[in-house]
Amino acid sequence: MTKFHFRTTDLDATIADEEGYDFPDLPAALAEAKRLLAEMALDGLPPNGGTLRVDLLNADRIAIATVALEMKVSFGVTQQDHTQPS
């Protein structure tokens, strides 16, 4: 088992856990980070341009991965909409 820590950033604050959690490997810890992000989104999506974020830290509390959800609202035509058929 390997110890990982989570640092979450939501609409109000950034919070780092103190104790950490044991997971068998990085993919298992990353799956938990994704689950945490989904729970955060249930509490409310960020405003336009805002981000919900979970940083996955190793036992030394060095960030090794980030899972984020960004709210982006665009109006009008995007560059991709300008493609012409051949």
Side-chain angles (χ1 to χ4, degrees):
M1 295 295 243
T2 304
K3 185 163 293 232
F4 294 92
H5 296 268
F6 297 104
R7 181 174 54 220
T8 59
T9 303
D10 64 11
L11 304 177
D12 300 316
T14 297
I15 301 171
D17 77 77
E18 295 296 322
E19 301 296 317
Y21 301 90
D22 290 322
F23 293 97
D25 53 24
L26 177 59
L30 193 55
E32 179 64 12
K34 291 176 185 177
R35 189 191 68 72
L36 285 172
L37 184 63
E39 280 188 12
M40 291 166 60
L42 288 174
D43 289 337
L45 293 175
N48 189 24
T51 302
L52 299 178
R53 175 181 173 140
V54 178
D55 296 311
L56 181 60
L57 315 174
N58 66 13
D60 296 323
R61 298 188 181 172
I62 297 170
I64 56 174
T66 298
V67 180
L69 174 67
E70 178 184 20
M71 176 60 70
K72 186 174 181 181
V73 177
S74 299
F75 295 95
V77 179
T78 65
Q79 189 170 0
Q80 291 177 349
D81 293 335
H82 290 287
T83 57
Q84 297 291 326
S86 304

